[in-house]
């Protein structure tokens, strides 16, 4: 079965039809740049362009980089504040003319990793963290997701954790891998103190370069592995959500 998945990120809006039996993109993905400011109307135009590129008819799953409950977007840390309390499901399904399911980006990526990637078959507490423009989290136990955890906004030494340990912080402050890994380590130690997971899955675009920073991280008891679906996890997870999986 194929369902369309779209991932709304801080830098790009990416989408493709997804083969749900294999957990893979069925066609090469199409990407447009995220508009700035990323208002609901301008992002909806971007989503419509991505879906229109494939002439897709049918259900569409869409990720959003904030809390989503019942199709309503509730927070907007790294997108325009106009998203707060917007009926995003209605807005996007009207704009693209297809039924839409919308969920948090890290939750989508986590669900995909638990089914097709690094979390397959893991029954204990698993925490997926996506390091990107912000830090997203997805928490699982017994394979079940606790939706809308916001562990990227834990306070660490008086700072919002994502402002210190996201890949955006690394770029903005021009941090070395070593320096940034030290910050990620402090963050992981803190999350571990709170949740004692058996496994951390590290996702986001930087998971492609895991060998540059994961070996530098010490003092974390849990296993730490890079995401396997890498940057397509959000798209795959969005499509799974639209299929009711
Ligand atoms: C948001 C999360 C999101 C994460 C990654 C955070 O700033 O609050 O909801 O999952 O960024 O995009």
């Amino acid at each position: 079965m194929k369902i369309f998945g779209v991932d709304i990120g801080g830098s790009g809006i990416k989408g493709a039809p997804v083969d749900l039996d294999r957990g893979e993109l069925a066609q090469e993905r199409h990407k447009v740049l995220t508009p700035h400011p990323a208002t609901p109307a301008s992002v909806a135009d971007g989503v419509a362009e991505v879906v229109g590129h494939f002439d897709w008819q049918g259900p569409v799953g869409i990720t959003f980089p904030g809390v989503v409950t019942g199709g309503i977007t509730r927070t907007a840390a790294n997108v325009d504040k106009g998203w707060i309390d917007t009926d995003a499901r209605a807005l996007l399904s009207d704009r693209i003319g297809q039924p839409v399911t919308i969920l948090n980006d890290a939750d989508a990526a986590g669900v995909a990793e638990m089914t097709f990637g690094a979390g397959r078959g893991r029954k204990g507490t698993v925490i997926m963290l996506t390091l990107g423009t912000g830090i997203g989290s997805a928490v699982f136990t017994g394979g079940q997701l606790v939706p809308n955890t916001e562990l990227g906004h834990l306070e660490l030494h008086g700072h919002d954790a994502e402002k210190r340990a996201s890949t955006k912080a690394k770029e903005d402050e021009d941090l070395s891998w070593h320096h940034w890994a030290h910050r990620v380590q402090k963050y992981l130690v803190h999350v571990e103190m709170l949740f004692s997971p058996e496994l951390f899955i590290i996702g986001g675009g930087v998971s492609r370069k895991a060998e540059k920073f994961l070996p530098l991280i010490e003092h974390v008891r849990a296993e730490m592995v890079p995401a396997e679906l890498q940057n397509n996890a959000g798209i795959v997870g969005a499509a799974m959500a639209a299929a009711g999986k």
Side-chain angles (χ1 to χ4, degrees):
M1 177 160 85
K2 285 188 204 153
I3 296 271
F4 203 92
V6 179
D7 194 19
I8 300 175
S11 58
I13 301 172
K14 301 160 280 189
V18 175
D19 177 336
L20 287 175
D21 301 314
R22 300 157 66 96
E24 287 170 4
L25 306 194
Q27 276 173 262
E28 201 179 318
R29 70 187 194 186
H30 184 66
K31 175 175 170 175
V32 299
L33 293 180
T34 304
H36 289 290
T39 60
S42 62
V43 170
D45 286 346
V47 171
E49 193 178 328
V50 170
V51 176
H53 179 83
F54 296 86
D55 214 6
W56 176 263
Q57 312 276 315
V60 177
I62 302 178
T63 75
F64 177 75
V67 171
V68 186
T69 55
I72 316 273
T73 45
R74 302 287 182 189
T75 67
N78 296 304
V79 283
D80 186 78
K81 301 293 174 229
W83 283 97
I84 296 172
D85 294 335
T86 287
D87 188 343
R89 181 166 53 205
L91 169 78
L92 291 163
S93 61
D94 285 353
R95 183 67 183 78
I96 62 181
Q98 308 295 336
V100 159
T101 302
I102 178 159
L103 77 164
N104 174 261
D105 55 358
D107 285 351
V111 164
E113 287 291 333
M114 292 301 283
T115 309
F116 297 110
R120 255 186 330 254
R122 303 295 288 250
K123 294 289 172 225
T125 301
V126 177
I127 301 186
M128 163 118 188
L129 296 167
T130 61
L131 307 178
T133 309
I135 296 182
S137 59
V139 177
F140 297 84
T141 184
Q144 283 294 315
L145 171 70
V146 180
N148 289 307
T149 57
E150 285 286 324
L151 304 186
H153 298 295
L154 283 173
E155 189 179 309
L156 257 192
H157 307 298
H159 297 274
D160 189 15
E162 76 172 20
K163 294 274 181 297
R164 305 271 302 160
S166 62
T167 49
K168 183 171 186 299
K170 179 178 185 302
E171 284 155 22
D172 289 353
E173 297 180 53
D174 200 15
L175 303 176
S176 66
W177 284 107
H178 206 272
H179 191 161
W180 181 67
H182 187 67
R183 289 189 183 181
V184 175
Q185 169 178 303
K186 284 198 166 156
Y187 175 61
L188 291 175
V189 165
H190 190 71
V191 175
E192 179 161 71
M193 184 267 290
L194 294 170
F195 292 93
S196 299
E198 65 171 52
L199 174 67
F200 281 116
I201 303 174
I202 308 297
V206 77
S207 59
R208 273 196 300 268
K209 298 183 186 153
E211 79 287 352
K212 293 212 189 284
F213 68 99
L214 281 189
L216 303 176
I217 294 177
E218 299 173 328
H219 310 301
V220 175
R221 270 192 302 271
E223 198 184 331
M224 285 181 292
V225 295
E228 284 177 15
L229 291 107
Q230 298 188 340
N231 241 356
N232 290 332
I235 298 175
V236 172
M240 289 173 70
K245 297 202 182 212

